[in-house]
Amino acid sequence: MKRFQEQLLGVLLILPLTVHAAPGPPESAYVPGVVGHRQERPLSCEARSAVDLAAFWGVAVSEEAFFATLPRSDNPHSGFVGDVDDPPGSLPPGGYGVYASPVATALRRYGLDAHAHRWFGLDLLKEELAAGRPVIIWATYRMLQPEIASWTAADGTVSIVVQWEHTFIAVGYDADGLYLIDAYDGRTHYYPFSRFLPAWMQLNEMAVTVKGRLEAPPYPWTEIRARGGHPWPVFVSNW
C-alpha cells in the first residue's frame, strides 16, 4: 500500500498544473441610451444623476420630486446637507450635497434595485458597464483635487468632505479612460484614468449601482411632493 501511494504521488507531481484565471472585463464597453440633462439647481447634481439613471431603466421622475424624497441631515451619509441653492464649491455646514446611501434608498422607493457602495473599485465599475448597467459615481467637478477635509455632524459622525463634490453617470470606458455624463451640463465627457481615479478616491470610490427594476415597488406611491416649508416629502398613496 505504501509503495502504491508513493507511485501515485510521483504521477501527480509530473502532471501539468492548469490554472484557469477568472475572465476580467473587456478592454472597452459603452452603454447606449443614457440621456443626460443639466441640473436645475446649483447643488442638485445627485438628484439629476439619479433621475437620468432612473429614466434609463424606464422610471420617469422629475428632479424636483426626487430631491424631495431625500432626507435632510448635517451628515451627508444620512441626507442632503445644507441649502441646495448655495453656490457650488460650498462646504458644510453650508450647502454641500448627499452621498450614495440616501440616493440608493430614494431610487429603491421608485422601484429600482439600487445599491450604495464605497471603495467600489475600477474593475467592478468596468464589470457593471460591460454588463450594460450605468453607474452613478461621486468625484469632483472637472476632477479637481482640492484639499480633503473632515466634517463632524451633530451626532458625532465624522465624514470626509471635499470642495466641488459632484456626481456623474459612468456610461463607458476604453483602455485609457472613462466616459461620464456630467450632471452640471448634461453632456458626456471623457476622462483618462490618471485624472479620474484620484478624484474618485477622494470620496472613497463612492458609487450607486442599479441591477434593474424591482419586481414590485416597495411603496405604492404614485405622487411625491414637498410639504410647504418642510424638508420631508408627502407621499400620496395609490391604495
Side-chain angles (χ1 to χ4, degrees):
M1 182 65 178
K2 181 178 180 181
R3 181 172 177 79
F4 173 75
Q5 291 175 333
E6 290 173 347
Q7 291 174 336
L8 179 60
L9 179 60
V11 171
L12 293 174
L13 288 174
I14 64 174
L15 288 175
L17 179 63
T18 303
V19 177
H20 296 283
E27 185 172 329
S28 63
Y30 195 88
V31 184
V34 186
V35 180
H37 299 84
R38 183 184 180 94
Q39 65 192 67
E40 297 172 1
R41 302 172 77 173
L43 298 178
S44 61
C45 60
E46 300 95 349
R48 184 71 259 166
S49 294
V51 300
D52 286 344
L53 182 63
F56 171 81
W57 291 104
V59 175
V61 56
S62 71
E63 181 181 316
E64 179 182 6
F66 188 89
F67 183 78
T69 70
L70 295 171
R72 306 297 186 265
S73 175
D74 65 347
N75 176 0
H77 292 289
S78 299
F80 191 93
V81 177
D83 188 340
V84 69
D85 291 315
D86 277 356
S90 300
L91 289 169
Y96 181 66
V98 61
Y99 286 165
S101 184
V103 171
T105 299
L107 284 168
R108 293 183 71 85
R109 287 181 180 270
Y110 285 99
L112 293 174
D113 187 11
H115 301 270
H117 308 269
R118 277 192 278 180
W119 299 118
F120 191 54
L122 184 59
D123 285 344
L124 287 178
L125 177 57
K126 288 181 177 180
E127 288 176 10
E128 287 295 299
L129 297 175
R133 297 188 291 262
V135 178
I136 301 175
I137 60 96
W138 273 252
T140 50
Y141 176 74
R142 295 292 187 261
M143 303 303 158
L144 298 172
Q145 294 183 53
E147 183 176 352
I148 296 173
S150 62
W151 163 252
T152 303
D155 63 1
T157 302
V158 179
S159 300
I160 291 174
V161 294
V162 62
Q163 193 177 23
W164 310 110
E165 174 266 329
H166 196 50
T167 57
F168 306 78
I169 303 177
V171 292
Y173 67 90
D174 61 19
D176 301 312
L178 275 172
Y179 294 92
L180 304 174
I181 296 178
D182 191 333
Y184 177 75
D185 57 14
R187 299 173 62 184
T188 302
H189 299 262
Y190 180 84
Y191 290 97
F193 292 129
S194 60
R195 186 173 172 192
F196 164 74
L197 289 173
W200 192 29
M201 290 178 68
Q202 289 179 108
L203 291 170
N204 298 338
E205 296 177 347
M206 270 196 299
V208 165
T209 59
V210 173
K211 298 297 184 184
R213 298 183 68 164
L214 296 169
E215 291 186 4
Y219 304 102
W221 314 121
T222 58
E223 182 184 354
I224 301 177
R225 61 176 181 266
R227 182 186 293 122
H230 197 285
W232 293 94
V234 174
F235 298 97
V236 182
S237 176
N238 194 33
W239 289 354

